[in-house]
Amino acid sequence: MSKGTTLNMAHFFGTSTEKATFCSSLLATLKQRGCVKLQNHGIPDEEIHKLFDMTKRFFSLPLEQKMTIKHPPQANPNRGYSFIGQENVANISGYEKGVGPGKTRDIKETLDMGSASDSLVDNLWLAESTLPGFRAFMESFYDRAFETELHILSALAIALGVDGEKLKSMHDKAENEFRLLHYPAIPASELADGSKTRIAEHTDFGTITMLFQDSTGGLQVEDQEELGTFNDVESSGPTEIILNIGDSLQRLSNDTFRAACHRVTYPPTVSGAGDGTRSGEEMIPERYSIAYFAKPNRDAVLLPLREFVTDCTPCRYDEVTAWEWNNRRIQALYS
């Protein structure tokens, strides 16, 4: 992504003019590119570096230890450790594009968590002696990310001209999901025939996704002005937030926003990544990322907000709660 797709979120906390400029730039970039990189977003750098350190330590554990908190075989509750191949994003690949399931197999392992105060679903934690401090840090970081989520929602509300308090009230229970991801190093040839990928083309289910990624590369987001064209999203460091829009905001905005389709594939540094050729057994390095999926409260109704329904833009969606929508989308992942 070009420098123009990186925004300084410190301006959101600055003067009224700086704030207004930031909000309008945020809206314009998301509409054009599908995602935006945010710097100076309020989460301290040292906490993000520790987040990656803890993530690497978790995935470095022996499989039998990670499997003590294994994700159930079904979609819900979406908590715990998923081994390589357990979840298959290709089953929801190409949302609204007619791409059927079973096209590819994801080569990744994940750990899913939620709020420590979630009244419906409990997190699954390792024994404290296995990875000391892991639970306490992840719970603390979740709270940090929730604070940032509310600031971003406020910025979007300002740019869209909608009631910011209403938008925040639809998200005030922090019924979100927090995912650690590890893509192991593999020969480039394993992805060559299209039967495997790091993560298949998909959209996220929630309102916004805040992603932290290392510098390995491979993330691509569909250009909103050139559908079918995927742009590389390179990271200058793990402390940036890569922000994209999910299905729920597409519904709430009555398609004013389109959910950003994205995937993880070959890093640009891999030989032949742009022309369909692969050099022998060149290795794709391992990759780590962390995604915070901000979702509406489970009981929130995902009908378009009144500001987006007019005679010229009639309501395009049926009435469904955020929980029903989430389950409808996620159940295919573990099929």
Side-chain angles (χ1 to χ4, degrees):
M1 296 178 70
S2 66
K3 291 183 179 179
T5 57
T6 300
L7 298 181
N8 182 359
M9 195 170 170
H11 293 157
F12 177 75
F13 306 102
T15 66
S16 57
T17 300
E18 290 174 333
K19 185 172 187 175
T21 300
F22 171 82
C23 294
S24 61
S25 297
L26 179 66
L27 178 66
T29 305
L30 287 169
K31 282 188 171 183
Q32 178 186 14
R33 299 302 299 269
C35 73
V36 64
K37 294 190 287 188
L38 299 177
Q39 297 175 336
N40 301 316
H41 41 68
I43 302 178
D45 289 359
E46 59 270 20
E47 291 191 20
I48 298 172
H49 289 303
K50 186 173 181 180
L51 174 66
F52 275 89
D53 177 64
M54 284 288 194
T55 297
K56 293 175 182 178
R57 289 169 63 188
F58 172 80
F59 287 117
S60 295
L61 292 171
L63 179 62
E64 58 267 25
Q65 288 187 321
K66 291 181 285 190
M67 289 294 284
T68 62
I69 55 169
K70 64 181 180 181
H71 192 292
Q74 69 275 12
N76 280 310
N78 190 30
R79 298 290 187 269
Y81 171 73
S82 295
F83 55 83
I84 294 171
Q86 182 176 358
E87 179 193 84
N88 187 13
V89 172
N91 286 350
I92 58 166
S93 182
Y95 170 54
E96 290 188 342
K97 294 185 178 182
V99 179
K103 300 298 183 184
T104 61
R105 175 176 177 263
D106 293 350
I107 307 299
K108 69 181 190 305
E109 55 181 338
T110 63
L111 177 65
D112 287 291
M113 299 163 277
S115 170
S117 58
D118 195 311
S119 60
L120 182 64
V121 183
D122 292 327
N123 288 321
L124 302 176
W125 296 110
L126 297 166
E128 178 65 17
S129 58
T130 301
L131 197 54
F134 181 78
R135 175 177 180 172
F137 176 78
M138 291 299 167
E139 289 180 343
S140 173
F141 195 92
Y142 186 101
D143 292 339
R144 277 276 196 192
F146 178 57
E147 293 175 5
T148 302
E149 169 200 343
L150 294 181
H151 291 313
I152 293 171
L153 290 176
S154 292
L156 289 172
I158 291 170
L160 290 166
V162 302
D163 185 345
E165 290 306 311
K166 176 175 175 56
L167 191 60
K168 287 198 292 184
S169 70
M170 294 178 68
H171 296 78
D172 60 5
K173 296 179 182 178
E175 292 173 341
N176 303 320
E177 290 177 358
F178 186 37
R179 165 169 279 200
L180 314 183
L181 299 103
H182 174 229
Y183 304 86
I186 56 172
S189 58
E190 286 202 21
L191 304 187
D193 67 358
S195 64
K196 303 182 187 71
T197 186
R198 290 199 136 173
I199 190 168
E201 175 184 326
H202 66 287
T203 58
D204 295 333
F205 312 155
T207 305
I208 57 174
T209 298
M210 298 185 292
L211 179 75
F212 304 88
Q213 67 169 359
D214 63 17
S215 58
T216 300
L219 174 65
Q220 296 182 329
V221 177
E222 187 174 31
D223 194 302
Q224 299 298 284
E225 294 185 339
E226 296 183 48
L227 297 182
T229 298
F230 283 79
N231 300 309
D232 291 320
V233 183
E234 298 179 20
S235 176
S236 59
T239 57
E240 295 176 332
I241 288 177
I242 298 170
L243 177 72
N244 69 264
I245 299 304
D247 299 339
S248 295
L249 190 53
Q250 177 172 325
R251 295 178 67 96
L252 290 172
S253 69
N254 205 28
D255 288 351
T256 296
F257 273 129
R258 299 291 297 181
C261 195
H262 53 288
R263 64 194 182 192
V264 178
T265 182
Y266 303 92
T269 54
V270 173
S271 299
D275 59 16
T277 63
R278 302 290 176 256
S279 57
E281 288 301 295
E282 181 177 3
M283 294 296 294
I284 300 177
E286 67 179 344
R287 179 179 184 269
Y288 293 92
S289 63
I290 297 96
Y292 183 88
F293 301 105
K295 299 184 174 185
N297 301 336
R298 293 188 182 107
D299 60 0
V301 177
L302 297 184
L303 280 173
L305 300 174
R306 59 178 176 80
E307 291 90 344
F308 300 107
V309 180
T310 68
D311 291 340
C312 298
T313 56
C315 181
R316 298 180 179 178
Y317 292 100
D318 59 337
E319 184 171 333
V320 62
T321 67
W323 184 233
E324 290 167 338
W325 176 250
N326 182 82
N327 292 341
R328 185 188 302 177
R329 294 281 280 130
I330 202 173
Q331 64 185 357
L333 290 177
Y334 291 86
S335 299

